[in-house]
Structure formats: structure tokens, C-alpha cells
Amino acid sequence: MLELKINGGTYEVDPPVGQTLAETLRGDLGLTGTKVACGEGHCGACTVQLDGVPALSCITLVHTVGEREVTTIEGLRDHPLVDAFVRADALQCGFCTPGQIVSAAALVEAEPELTAERVRHAMAGNLCRCGAYPRIEEAILSWRD
Amino acid sequence: MARLIRTEKEVEGKYTEQWVVVEGEDEALDQWPQGPRAVVGTPARRQDGLQRARGEAEYTADLQLPGTLHAAVLRSPYAHARAKVDLTRARATGWVRGAIGPGDCHVLQEEPSFHGAPVAAVAADSLREARAGLELIDVEWEELEPLLDPEEAVKRESFVDDTRHYSRGDVEAAFAEADVVVEGEFRTQVVLHNALETHQAVCRWEGETLEVYISTQFIWGVRDSISSQLGLPPDRVRVVCNYMGGGFGAKNSPGDHTYIAIALASQTGHPVHCALTRREENLAAGNRNATSQRLRAGARSDGTLVALEGEYVNAIGWAGFNGPTYGPIEMLYACENVRTVTYGAKLNLPPNAAFRAPGFVEGTFGLECLLDELAGRLELDPLELRRRNYADKDLVDDRPFSSKNLLECYDRAEPHWARRDEVRARSEGPWQRGVGLASQIWYGGGGPPSYAWVRVGSDTRATVITAMQDIGTGTRTAMAQIAAEELGLPLERVRCELGDSARGPYASISAGSSTTPSMGPAVRAAAADAARQLLEIAAQRFHLEERVLSLRGGQIVSADGGSWPLEEITGLLEDAQILGKGARGPNPAGMRVLTFGIQVAEVAVDVETGEVVVERIAAIHDVGRVINPLGARSQVEGGIIQGIGHTLSEARLVDPVSGKVLTQTLDAYKLPTIADVPEIVTDLLDIPDEHLTNLGSKGLGEPPIVPTAAAIVNAIRDATGAEVHELPVSREAMLRALAEAREREKRGAPAAV
Amino acid sequence: MELRQPSSLAELDGADGLALAGGTDLVPLLRDGLVEAETLVDVRAVVPRGIDGGTIGAGTTLAELEVDPESPQALREACALAASPQLRSMGTIGGNLLQATRCWYWRLKYPCFLHGGSTCHARQGAHREHAIFGNEHCASAHPSDPAAALLSLGTTLRTDRRELPLADLYRLPTEDDRDVTALEPGELILELEVPKPEASTYLKAMDRTRFTFALVGVAAARFGSETKIALAGVAPIPWLLESADDLDRATPLPGTAYKVDLARALVRRALDALA
Ligand SMILES: Cc1cc2nc3c(=O)[nH]c(=O)nc-3n(C[C@H](O)[C@H](O)[C@H](O)COP(=O)(O)OP(=O)(O)OC[C@H]3O[C@@H](n4cnc5c(N)ncnc54)[C@H](O)[C@@H]3O)c2cc1C
Ligand code: SF4
Ligand code: FES
Ligand code: FES
């Protein structure tokens, strides 16, 4: 039995060794806000925070999460970034968006004063095939407005 | 009254004649005057933006219907083989709940003819078990010789369809008389759609009805294909797609995975979820095919094009469609003498699928690069060359355009083009800078049939109901805006419900830039129908003549200045509702409906390392009336960014010996990241097409990707003198072109700048 | 599969199993069956993490190194340009040095030389990302940016068994031994000893601006009058150049000849930057 701390709550799960955090979140816990688009660490759609640090849940073995607090998009639903994304039209199909927002939330927490250069460096791990990038950049730079 | 009409329909350049039933008021409605209105033409936030951003939107990938089994598909590891499939061991386990092979489902192949072709499939309680189940399928493979080379396919006449020949005028004579002739061979690579939500479907039998939850661009197309494939009455197939995670052309039909899910659902009696992995997606879910293009252009010394010729080889793969790579050369310029031949090479490679302006992206690259080389030879300004060859009617069918404002686009491009000297002057050390442009032509008129309903209740809120899909283009929002405008309601009071064939009327495909021009007029007609009914009631209630009344700003307004809150009428409805119905009318008879535009790109090229940085792109497009400027800008940016990937970094690579796809994963297949995006300036003309429907709107999904590659490559030539004739412009391609340019210069040939 | 999570080196003692650090390389390899393990050992509590002067714990993440003001510039730049932000905050420097090749044939399980077979499929096949040096048997290109930086810096490794120069960690695969590292089974990298140069830099040519492996990466570090140059993406292992002239002796495949030009340009720039 594993105890996971997720979005301020505690969950008990009993996954086989080798199962990933993404599989646990989506499959066992129904937290389907976290998306999986590649399943092998190449796209960023599955980004969650572990103790505030962005991590790829699709290649994180759930047994290695330990004491760390998991924050998913479900825990960030009222973050001002969500509104900033909608305001700036920073999403099209929206499939990459939860991952973008989870990454961005960690970024604005760590660096409240951001430049476009920093955003482009720190968000390069979240692919968006629709190409919402210019608006994503705008949303992150204006998240407090 | 319902009317039956015969009309022409176009999707992505393919025309068919068909009967359509039209009802409602489409044609009776005058277009709104040009310019932004209270709601239409005014920026609006996406109606489903919050759900998507908060991770609440339920995509097909997120469905967890009770009792769902998960499917895994056994795919051919060979480009061509014969497969003898034995399911005995898989079926003998308790935990493989369903197993199918060739013979059980028409998409499973005994002679798989491309790497990734589906051969067998299993279903189990979990994906993990399903994958393990695949190990228990015994297959005797007999590897066969694959045909991989498109030129070889042309030689052997291995084609997906008849070779297309087109000609007008006397091409040979015209070339003989031309003052200047330029020619070139251009190549484009295979690119992969890579929508972030992979192709997937969940299929379940509910009694006699088959429910298909699917990530699709065409709910009704999926319904029709499945019903005819399975011999079911169409109404027994319910297709649902509330949210979908991108398609870009690859999700227009049910696809193999859906038929596999259906077969396994039928076998097991459970809902079955069949989702492609990213790798399967990049093997078997379609691609933009490679092309090779031998082009020739002849002109008089004043720049008048006298002859154009193109020989196109589309490397289609095992199946797919032979797209209109020839389109731009035939349609873009006023050239009397044009000849093309287009081969669709059938190869042991994965089938293609429509990908955002298929054919035109590739054809524009070749044509517009060749034209800049011509401008160089003529020492003529490239923009001027294009102006001099402006076509004021369609020369293919000898028809007038319903509207064309390309000259206005050219005028608006001037200031961007005029930055050329300043941009070049910023060259520094190894970084050479330059500016390039390219014109755009594409379809985008949409067409019937498409239907919508608009419901107004006693709460004075309206709902647009139509069984279409929002693939990320902001359809929900645009449709709500149109209805709100017509009903004189604020946007907050109008919503759009879509995504379920059982809960709304037939709606068009979201492809070919046809969503807004097809659906929008139907929605407006439905809203007008609802408005008329509201006014009828108001006329009776206030003892006025209906024709003096109108709806504006949430009020009923009479010609004599009186006004009443709309609530006074809707309040009378109690539990009743007003239902307006609308249909899309035909496109203007005898006219060509097309979209136009131009892009101006600024690049910096590191001539020592071959690095190309796109620094700025200005995109000016003529797509008729713009419904939502906010969403429209996003579409333009998205198209350009995909275009940049196509131009610089994306390429599907295949092992030349085995024909196997090597770049299945997103580390090897390189999509643009946020760090690859230039400054993008969007300028949409927003001039309604006065002949096209009650809206004057054309589609916008595809035009922005059409000229991007050519504009970038022309800017590279401007910056460096290097002539790039192939995509992507990888480091090696760029360094090679730079070396060739240096060679030319050494030999004293004039650089084509 | 079993996962062990020892809390100290002592607790680990003697047990076999495959080390799992950030898992960014290993987890996908396990899923694809490219690596098989009965037992995984989560080494995060065992391997030191953090930077103390010139000593770097092998468990330090690339994200931590990227922003560490004490680390030499070449290492910081190599880390900043490696992978993606998420991968850098998960991946450790120890794991990075030991990551497997990205050769698509190898990753797709072609029975190639590196997998113990007899041919290198890349040589006849698609190989634009492959090697220009040391490619006689296997033409793969080493993917690590930090490894090139650390090599140019003359880094020494401390394992749970010995000290060894980073240069000796790597070996070209041969007929008899297809391994590209010289670590013993179960041997753990604990720390890296990184000399402080007077100046250093890392330049990386890639297919997009971020989040992709090096076509060519060039690290240069100047110690007194001596400048050491090491390359990523050019050989099955990180590749030390004696001098820029070494590039004249490259053995590119038809599709990798451009990498020689690329390396030349970047080496010149790196040397200029340090001059
Ligand atoms: C999509 C993608 C892009 C990437 N791009 C780049 C790039 O551009 N440049 C770059 O340099 N890297 C890149 N990487 C590689 C990435 O940086 C490495 O995967 C990461 O640093 C490995 O660290 P880890 O802690 O996750 O290692 P793990 O995956 O945990 O382990 C990797 C290997 O090292 C072994 N190992 C780990 N720690 C130790 C130890 N202390 N002692 C002994 N053995 C150990 C493991 O047994 C395993 O064999 C990329 C990776 C991915 C997935
Ligand atoms: S380069 Fe090396 S890993 Fe790749 S196919 Fe050749 S031998 Fe195998
Ligand atoms: S789904 Fe995890 S990185 Fe792509
Ligand atoms: S919004 Fe569609 S992938 Fe980003």
C-alpha cells in the first residue's frame, strides 16, 4: 500500500512496481486533468509538480514519489494562470494546456519577475502542436493582471 | 419550406455535385455591413476555455465508461509481409478478453503493406494486460520486398489513382517565346500531424445502438462510414466527440482503430477503448506525403509569366489521396499557358492523410521559390513580379472569383517588405539577414449541407445546437457569437452545444477551412428564425406590426422608438421554448470561392553553422469576414508555427533498406517548441465576401500554413544567396546550399539575389 | 520487478540491482524492454546530492547545476541546453553520464552491433545524427552535453569502489565487449571532482532551439596555457580533441559529413571565446 499526497489530500493506492505516477493519477484516481501524449518523457503534457518542482508523471515510477507533495492541474484550478490562459487565448485544442499551466505555475512561483527569454527557456519542455505558444508566453507574462 | 437544390460542394479542392435540402432563411438574410459588430468581429474568449485549461474537459482519452476493456494492436514490423496469425494461445488465457485477427475485422491485414499496418488485436481489463496479450499472438511472418522509391514506383506504374494531366494554352510555344526561363527541382519531406491527443475511440453497444466516442473532425462522416461498413441503419450509430485534442486533417474518418474497437466490443460485449500510442500514431495515423516537383517558368522581360509547367510526384504511401500539389501553379497567377502532370506513387509506406492545406503547402513552396529565382533573373522586385501576374479571374474553370482582395493584401504587405534594407543591414559576422515573401491561395468557402438549431428559453438565454465538433479552432465560441449577434443578445447569454450525433442536426466536417463558412450561415439562419418567432410573439403581445420590430441589445425595439426588454416576451414562454432552424444555402453559382494572402518572413542565417532563425513573420490574409479576431489570430499563429516546423525541423525518416519508420517518437521527430517561435504579426482584411452566404466568411484554418515555407526559404536566399530546394532546411541542407552558392559565385555566375 | 529503496550506502551493501536515479532514461528503457532488471535500486538516498566547491554529488540534478554560480560555465551551459526543464529537474548528473544512446536503430531494437549483432544498421541507413569519430563498429553519437563539458574540464569520478578519470569511464565498443562504459556491475558513481578552469564554454548545434540532443556540442576549458576541447554528438562516447586539427582526421559517414564543418565552426568559436 502506498500513501500519496496529492493536492493537499492523501490517497491510498496499491499499484504494481513499475506503474507510473501518470497511470496512477489517471487510471486509479480518476484525476484525468493530467494528460499523457507520449508516455515517454518527450512532450510535457503529463507535467505535475513534486514539492513544487515540475516533473513528468509518465516516466515517474509511482513508488518513488514518497513523501513528496504531488500537485496536478486539479490542484491549480483556481490559480490566476488559468484565467490568464483563457484571457490570452493561450489554448486551442487544450490537450497540452494542463501541463503548460502546471509548468508555468512552478515558474511564476520561483521567478515572479519574468522576461520573455526566461519564459521561452523554462517552457521549452511543454510541446503544443496547435502552436498556442505566442499566447502562452503572453499569458505567463501577464498572469497577475 | 424545405427546398431541394442541386449544388457543387468542395472540400479541400475536391468538387462534387450533390442534392441538398435547404430550409430556413439563409438567403433571405442580408449580410451584415463590413466591420466589427456588437459581438461578431469583436474578440471573445473561448467558451470552453476554462474547462480545457482546468483539466475538466473530458476528451476521448479521458473516458472511463464502466466495464471498459482496453485494446492493443499488433502491427506489422515489416514494410511488406505476409502474416499467418494464430490467436489460440491468446484466446486460451482467461485475461485476454477478446482477440481478433484478419477475417474478424476488415482493417486487419493478411498481407500488411506498410510498417505499422494492423494485423491483429486483443482486449483486456487493462492496457498493460492487453499489451502482454499481444505477446501471445503467434505470427508466421514472410517478409516481402518493399517498394520504397517514388521514382521507381512511377517507372513501374505503381499508383494510388490515375495520373492527373492538366493543360491550358500552348505551353511549348510559350516557352519558346519566353525571354527568360527558370527551372528547378524541389522536394518536400514527410511530416507527421502529431496532434497531442492520439487517434482513439471508445465503442460500446447499447442495445441495438452502437455508441462511438471518438476523437474526430467529422462526427457525421464517422457515422456514415461505420453504418455503411457494418450495414447498420445510420441512426443506430451514435457518434460523440465533445472535446478533441487536435487533428489537423488526420481525423476525418473512423480509422482502423475504431473498427478494431467495434469488433472487440462486439466480441466481448464490453465497451472497448482503442487508443494509439504516440509511436503507433506516427506509423499508422497518416502523414503529409513527400513530394518531388520539377518546375519550369517562362516570362517576358517585363515579368509577365507566359508559361508554367510542373511535374509532381506525390509519394502517397500504401493508400491515401493524391493531393492537389498542382493547385498553386494552376490557380495563383494569370498565366495563359500551364501544364501539369501529377503522379500518386503507391509505396510500401504508411498511408498519407490530409494535413492542413494538403498539396498547396507543398506546391506553394516549389512555385513561390521558383518565382523568386525568376525575379532574381529578371532583376525585378519579387512583390512587383507577383502584382504583374495578378489573376482577376479563375483561369482553371474560367470563372469569376466570388471575392478576391489579394492586391489589398499586397498593399498591406508593403511596410513589412520595406523593412528589407534595415533587416539586411542588421547582418553581423556570420549572421546574415534577409526578407522573403510568398503568396497564398487555397479553398475555404465551405458549403452545404449543414444545419443548426437555436433554442431560446424563458430565461432569455439562447443555445445553439448542432452536432458538430470543436477541434480546438474555437467553433463553440464563433457559433455562439453569430447567434448572439443575430438575436441581439450579449454573448454571455448564448452557448453552443455540440459533439453528439444523437443531440443535434447534421453538421459539416471540421476540415478544409470549412467549419465557419459552412456552419456559420446555418447558425445565423437558425438564430434569425428564432428571432422572427420572438418578434411574432412580441407583435401579438404589443399589438404592433411585426415588420416594425427588431432585436437589439437584449431589447425589442420598434421603428417608432419604443423598446421593451426581451424578457417581457421570453417570460411569456414559461416552459415552452422557441426553436429556430437554419440551413446552409449553396455557394454562389458559377463562381470560384477561394482564400488569398501573403506572408513576409525575416530570417537570420548563421552561414558557418547553417542555423536558421526565423525572426519575424507578417501574415496578411483575405478570408472574408472575421467572426472572432482573438481566435482567428490564434489560428494564424498556429498555422505559421506548424509551417516553421515543416520548414526547419520536422522530418519523418525511414530506413532506406527496410522501409521502417525511424522517427516514431517526439524526441526524434522535432516539433517546434516555444523557443522556436518568431514575432508574428497578423493582419486579416476582414472584408466580407458579398457573394458568399449570409455571412461572407471564409475559412481560416489552413491559409496561414500555405506560404510559410516559401516565404522563409525566399528570405534565406535574400540573406545569403543560397538556393534551398528541399525541406526541411536542416543544418546539412543549409550548409550544402551555402557551399553551392559559394561555388556559383566562384564560377562567376550571378548570385540570384 | 522489485524496487529497493536503501537509505544509505551501508544498507545497500552487496545487494545487486540496477541503479535508478531520476529515471528519465531508465524508466522508458525498462518499458521498452531495452533494459531488463529483476531489481531496481532507488539510489537517491545513497548517492550524494549537491555542490561543494569542485565536488559535485552524482545525485545533483541538471537543473541545480544549471543555476549554480560555483560551477564552471561550460557545465552550466551544457546543463541549461540539455533536455527540457522538467527532465533537468528530474535527471541527475550521474545518470546523465550513463544515459544510453539515442540511435534510433538501437532504440527500436534492431539487432545491431551495439545490441550484440554483427552490423551497424545506421551505416547503410538513416544516420544524419550519427558519428564522425570512432564509428568503425558503431556509429552512434553520444547524447550527453554535460559529459563533454566535464571531459573538457578534466573531471575525476569517485565511485563506491575507486576513483577514475571521466575519460576512462568511456570506451568504444569492440567485437568482444559492446559496452560503452567501464563501470562494473553494481558500481555506483558517487561524486565528481571538477577542476576549476580559468575560462570555459559550451556551444551546441541542434535541430531546434531547445529540448533536443546535440548534432554537435563543443566544450572548451582553458587551464593556464592549455585549452581542452571535448565534443558531444560526434562519436559513440564523449570525444576529446587533442587540437582543432583532429577534425581533419574525422571519418564521417556520407550523411554526417556536415558535422565536421559544424564542429570546425563551433570549435573555432569556442576557442575565440576563451582567448
Ligand atoms: C527527451 C529527452 C531529451 C534529452 N535531451 C538531452 C540533452 O539534450 N542533453 C543531454 O545531455 N541529455 C539529454 N537527455 C538525457 C537526460 O539528461 C538524462 O536522461 C538524465 O540526465 C539521466 O539522469 P537520471 O537521473 O534520470 O538517470 P536514470 O534514468 O535514473 O539512469 C540512467 C542510467 O544511469 C544509471 N545510474 C544513474 N545514477 C547512477 C549512479 N549514481 N551510479 C551508477 N549508475 C547510475 C542507471 O542505472 C541507468 O543506467 C534527454 C532525455 C530525454 C528523455
Ligand atoms: S550506430 Fe551503433 S547503436 Fe546505432 S545501429 Fe549502428 S551499431 Fe547500432
Ligand atoms: S506524456 Fe509525459 S512527457 Fe509526454
Ligand atoms: S492547445 Fe492543442 S496542443 Fe496545445
Side-chain angles (χ1 to χ4, degrees):
Chain A
M1 207 48 114
L2 274 183
E3 221 171 66
L4 292 176
K5 291 196 266 180
I6 304 170
N7 301 328
T10 309
Y11 296 78
E12 285 201 347
V13 285
D14 192 13
V17 172
Q19 181 164 310
T20 64
L21 177 56
E23 288 167 334
T24 309
L25 292 171
R26 290 177 52 83
D28 298 340
L29 303 175
L31 295 171
T32 56
T34 301
K35 305 299 177 204
V36 171
C38 75
E40 45 192 341
H42 301 161
C43 77
C46 65
T47 305
V48 300
Q49 294 173 10
L50 296 180
D51 281 347
V53 178
L56 302 174
S57 62
C58 75
I59 53 169
T60 299
L61 297 183
V62 65
H63 288 84
T64 65
V65 172
E67 288 291 294
R68 289 179 288 178
E69 170 78 27
V70 183
T71 306
T72 69
I73 187 65
E74 284 86 356
L76 294 167
R77 281 190 170 154
D78 299 320
H79 195 288
L81 269 165
V82 169
D83 195 53
F85 265 61
V86 178
R87 205 167 52 224
D89 208 38
L91 64 147
Q92 293 180 33
C93 79
F95 208 75
C96 72
T97 313
Q100 303 275 5
I101 290 177
V102 173
S103 278
L107 176 63
V108 299
E109 180 71 29
E111 298 179 47
E113 300 304 325
L114 279 163
T115 61
E117 266 329 292
R118 282 301 301 160
V119 171
R120 291 157 75 95
H121 181 69
M123 295 299 295
N126 288 85
L127 300 182
C128 171
R129 186 46 156 169
C130 296
Y133 296 130
R135 304 299 127 217
I136 292 170
E137 188 179 309
E138 178 185 307
I140 296 173
L141 288 173
S142 67
W143 72 284
R144 271 182 298 205
D145 297 355
Chain B
M1 191 193 85
R3 287 181 297 130
L4 185 63
I5 55 171
R6 186 134 184 98
T7 186
E8 210 176 40
K9 186 173 159 72
E10 171 265 312
V11 176
E12 296 185 340
K14 286 179 274 188
Y15 286 90
T16 47
E17 276 241 327
Q18 65 181 77
W19 290 106
V20 289
V21 174
V22 185
E23 52 182 332
E25 309 228 344
D26 171 33
E27 278 157 302
L29 291 167
D30 290 333
Q31 284 184 10
W32 293 307
Q34 182 176 338
R37 306 186 58 75
V39 186
V40 162
T42 304
R45 292 186 188 192
R46 259 162 226 269
Q47 289 213 328
D48 53 10
L50 269 183
Q51 286 92 313
R52 293 189 198 245
R54 289 160 60 107
E56 291 165 344
E58 199 171 54
Y59 294 79
T60 307
D62 301 327
L63 285 179
Q64 299 184 342
L65 303 181
T68 298
L69 304 178
H70 297 267
V73 182
L74 181 74
R75 294 179 181 276
S76 172
Y78 304 108
H80 193 191
R82 254 190 291 276
K84 249 210 221 129
V85 175
D86 183 352
L87 300 169
T88 317
R89 279 202 305 142
R91 285 189 171 144
T93 70
W95 47 273
V96 170
R97 309 281 293 270
I100 54 175
D104 301 321
C105 176
H106 72 282
V107 300
L108 302 175
Q109 300 171 17
E110 268 170 334
E111 188 177 320
S113 300
F114 57 92
H115 180 202
V119 170
V122 299
D125 289 332
S126 71
L127 196 50
R128 196 174 278 252
E129 282 174 322
R131 296 225 175 98
L134 293 184
E135 308 285 323
L136 301 177
I137 300 177
D138 296 302
V139 188
E140 237 176 77
W141 297 102
E142 182 195 342
E143 216 181 323
L144 304 172
E145 185 70 29
L147 175 56
L148 303 173
D149 177 21
E151 303 288 334
E152 180 63 28
V154 172
K155 249 187 253 151
R156 289 198 218 163
E157 303 194 356
S158 167
F159 296 132
V160 292
D161 63 0
D162 293 340
T163 298
R164 178 184 182 278
H165 295 274
Y166 169 83
S167 117
R168 66 173 181 251
D170 186 342
V171 172
E172 285 315 321
F175 271 119
E177 280 166 25
D179 296 323
V180 179
V181 175
V182 290
E183 56 192 337
E185 190 168 338
F186 295 84
R187 288 174 186 281
T188 63
Q189 80 282 34
V190 172
V191 294
L192 301 166
H193 300 71
N194 270 310
L196 279 205
E197 184 185 35
T198 59
H199 283 67
Q200 48 196 300
V202 182
C203 300
R204 138 168 110 177
W205 285 101
E206 278 287 303
E208 306 270 88
T209 300
L210 178 65
E211 293 182 349
V212 178
Y213 300 83
I214 180 171
S215 183
T216 185
Q217 293 173 238
F218 194 15
I219 284 177
W220 293 86
V222 168
R223 187 184 89 132
D224 290 351
S225 298
I226 292 174
S227 80
S228 66
Q229 180 63 43
L230 271 59
L232 283 171
D235 250 12
R236 289 276 161 77
V237 182
R238 175 179 170 203
V239 180
V240 182
C241 176
N242 262 311
Y243 293 96
M244 68 90 79
F248 314 117
K251 292 182 180 167
N252 294 344
S253 58
D256 297 347
H257 59 287
T258 304
Y259 289 112
I260 289 169
I262 294 170
L264 286 166
S266 303
Q267 193 182 72
T268 61
H270 281 261
V272 173
H273 190 164
C274 186
L276 268 59
T277 63
R278 177 60 45 193
R279 294 180 188 208
E280 291 176 290
E281 183 80 6
N282 283 337
L283 285 176
N287 56 68
R288 184 192 293 284
N289 60 267
T291 71
S292 65
Q293 316 176 18
R294 282 193 201 90
L295 307 184
R296 198 149 70 111
R300 283 203 286 271
S301 51
D302 67 356
T304 310
L305 285 169
V306 294
L308 289 169
E309 185 175 40
E311 183 189 304
Y312 298 95
V313 178
N314 289 327
I316 303 300
W318 186 246
F321 84 110
N322 195 6
T325 318
Y326 50 78
I329 207 171
E330 294 174 7
M331 292 161 65
L332 188 47
Y333 294 113
C335 180
E336 300 287 345
N337 308 293
V338 179
R339 184 167 63 202
T340 66
V341 54
T342 308
Y343 303 100
K346 180 170 183 167
L347 302 160
N348 291 112
L349 290 168
N352 76 354
F355 189 161
R356 223 167 181 168
F360 276 57
V361 165
E362 302 84 333
T364 300
F365 166 65
L367 174 67
E368 288 292 89
C369 289
L370 188 73
L371 239 71
D372 262 34
E373 290 176 22
L374 178 66
R377 285 281 293 282
L378 292 166
E379 297 185 18
L380 196 67
D381 179 281
L383 184 54
E384 182 56 26
L385 176 65
R386 286 166 174 87
R387 279 206 176 99
R388 287 193 189 169
N389 292 288
Y390 187 82
D392 49 21
K393 66 169 184 181
D394 170 49
L395 278 84
V396 177
D397 291 334
D398 193 24
R399 292 181 184 191
F401 296 117
S402 60
S403 76
K404 176 173 180 179
N405 301 292
L406 183 57
L407 282 178
E408 167 77 12
C409 295
Y410 288 163
D411 288 347
R412 294 205 197 183
E414 272 306 345
H416 305 289
W417 186 231
R419 290 162 56 97
R420 202 144 72 126
D421 292 334
E422 177 265 329
V423 169
R424 284 166 161 181
R426 276 194 284 113
S427 297
E428 203 186 357
W431 285 103
Q432 299 296 309
R433 290 190 160 76
V435 182
L437 57 78
S439 299
Q440 170 257 317
I441 191 166
W442 172 250
Y443 307 95
S450 282
Y451 304 90
W453 302 332
V454 169
R455 191 177 69 195
V456 184
S458 55
D459 54 359
T460 327
R461 299 178 71 86
T463 309
V464 178
I465 303 163
T466 178
M468 70 184 311
Q469 51 287 320
D470 184 341
I471 64 171
T473 51
T475 304
R476 278 189 177 88
T477 317
M479 297 306 126
Q481 282 180 277
I482 291 166
E485 185 67 47
E486 186 62 32
L487 290 166
L489 285 176
L491 185 55
E492 309 82 72
R493 292 188 158 269
V494 184
R495 286 203 63 81
C496 178
E497 295 290 345
L498 46 72
D500 188 341
S501 70
R503 298 193 183 154
Y506 179 95
S508 77
I509 188 170
S510 294
S513 300
S514 66
T515 312
T516 300
S518 295
M519 291 307 306
V523 169
R524 184 170 175 218
D529 187 25
R532 184 184 47 77
Q533 296 176 50
L534 287 167
L535 294 179
E536 278 171 8
I537 297 169
Q540 295 167 54
R541 175 71 183 77
F542 302 130
H543 309 292
L544 288 166
E545 263 187 80
E546 191 196 324
R547 63 180 174 77
V548 303
L549 297 177
S550 61
L551 292 176
R552 217 175 311 139
Q555 305 271 317
I556 293 172
V557 184
S558 94
D560 62 15
S563 74
W564 304 264
L566 186 55
E567 280 81 1
E568 287 194 23
I569 297 306
T570 53
L572 303 172
L573 291 172
E574 300 259 340
D575 292 335
Q577 291 168 330
I578 298 283
L579 185 64
K581 294 196 286 179
R584 168 64 150 82
N587 280 358
M591 291 184 154
R592 266 281 207 177
V593 187
L594 298 171
T595 56
F596 303 93
I598 181 171
Q599 288 181 6
V600 184
E602 298 177 9
V603 305
V605 182
D606 181 336
V607 295
E608 292 171 2
T609 67
E611 182 173 3
V612 178
V613 177
V614 181
E615 298 190 318
R616 183 177 190 269
I617 290 189
I620 300 129
H621 295 275
D622 169 25
V623 294
R625 176 192 299 284
V626 175
I627 307 295
N628 182 3
L630 190 62
R633 182 183 60 181
S634 294
Q635 282 291 299
V636 172
E637 291 169 348
I640 288 173
I641 291 165
Q642 278 182 355
I644 290 173
H646 181 213
T647 311
L648 296 182
S649 64
E650 294 180 34
R652 183 200 70 181
L653 300 183
V654 165
D655 177 48
V657 181
S658 64
K660 295 202 215 179
V661 177
L662 300 170
T663 50
Q664 301 170 32
T665 51
L666 290 178
D667 56 339
Y669 186 85
K670 289 153 194 166
L671 304 174
T673 73
I674 194 170
D676 295 292
V677 174
E679 177 191 355
I680 299 175
V681 181
T682 300
D683 183 2
L684 299 175
L685 263 49
D686 200 8
I687 302 172
D689 179 338
E690 60 169 332
H691 297 292
L692 183 65
T693 73
N694 57 32
L695 276 184
S697 282
K698 300 176 188 174
L700 172 62
E702 287 153 307
I705 196 178
V706 171
T708 306
I712 292 172
V713 168
N714 285 337
I716 290 172
R717 181 184 308 94
D718 187 54
T720 65
E723 289 180 0
V724 177
H725 281 196
E726 80 191 278
L727 299 180
V729 191
S730 57
R731 296 298 181 109
E732 57 270 40
M734 190 65 239
L735 288 170
R736 203 180 316 124
L738 284 162
E740 285 165 7
R742 279 195 298 274
E743 272 303 305
R744 271 200 306 276
E745 205 157 334
K746 243 192 264 161
R747 288 199 314 267
V753 178
Chain C
M1 197 159 56
E2 190 200 355
L3 177 76
R4 302 191 45 214
Q5 302 188 285
S7 56
S8 69
L9 206 50
E11 194 185 316
L12 180 68
D13 190 47
D16 54 354
L18 194 59
L20 173 76
T24 57
D25 196 32
L26 190 53
V27 170
L29 291 174
L30 287 165
R31 298 214 122 194
D32 293 343
L34 283 159
V35 167
E36 278 168 24
E38 287 286 296
T39 309
L40 290 181
V41 184
D42 184 345
V43 297
R44 284 170 309 152
V46 174
V47 172
R49 175 173 180 175
I51 307 152
D52 180 11
T55 307
I56 296 173
T60 310
T61 64
L62 303 192
E64 289 159 349
L65 286 166
E66 174 187 351
V67 296
D68 176 54
E70 281 184 70
S71 293
Q73 190 170 339
L75 182 57
R76 273 188 282 132
E77 287 172 346
C79 290
L81 292 175
S84 71
Q86 296 95 319
L87 287 162
R88 292 195 294 272
S89 48
M90 300 168 73
T92 64
I93 187 67
N96 183 282
L97 296 178
L98 296 168
Q99 62 179 297
T101 178
R102 307 304 294 195
C103 171
W104 34 55
Y105 292 99
W106 189 88
R107 294 250 162 190
L108 295 174
K109 297 193 203 164
Y110 276 69
C112 70
F113 183 85
L114 203 62
H115 274 312
S118 55
T119 50
C120 169
H121 294 78
R123 188 167 276 277
Q124 310 314 323
H127 57 238
R128 64 174 293 270
E129 301 188 5
H130 286 68
I132 58 173
F133 286 111
N135 49 10
E136 189 193 345
H137 295 301
C138 164
S140 67
H142 199 269
S144 169
D145 300 304
L150 291 166
L151 197 56
S152 77
L153 291 162
T155 301
T156 306
L157 304 180
R158 192 172 68 75
T159 76
D160 58 344
R161 298 169 201 185
R162 56 181 162 155
E163 283 197 359
L164 83 165
L166 179 61
D168 295 348
L169 175 65
Y170 298 109
R171 52 182 303 284
L172 286 174
T174 59
E175 282 291 347
D176 305 329
D177 187 347
R178 309 294 164 99
D179 234 331
V180 293
T181 68
L183 232 45
E184 293 164 10
E187 186 174 3
L188 279 185
I189 302 177
L190 297 179
E191 283 176 342
L192 294 71
E193 204 59 57
V194 187
K196 221 176 178 60
E198 270 124 63
S200 69
T201 189
Y202 185 75
L203 304 174
K204 180 175 180 181
M206 42 188 159
D207 283 327
R208 59 187 182 199
T209 310
R210 285 288 189 283
F211 194 12
T212 186
F213 292 92
L215 295 169
V216 174
V218 173
R222 179 160 56 76
F223 296 88
S225 60
E226 194 200 1
T227 300
K228 287 209 271 184
I229 309 165
L231 272 50
V234 300
I237 57 176
W239 200 254
L240 208 51
L241 291 189
E242 294 296 325
S243 78
D245 297 341
D246 276 6
L247 287 167
D248 298 338
R249 288 180 285 280
T251 55
L253 310 180
T256 59
Y258 76 99
K259 283 195 176 190
V260 181
D261 298 332
L262 211 46
R264 247 191 216 107
L266 294 184
V267 166
R268 199 177 333 111
R269 280 183 199 177
L271 293 178
D272 285 352
L274 299 194

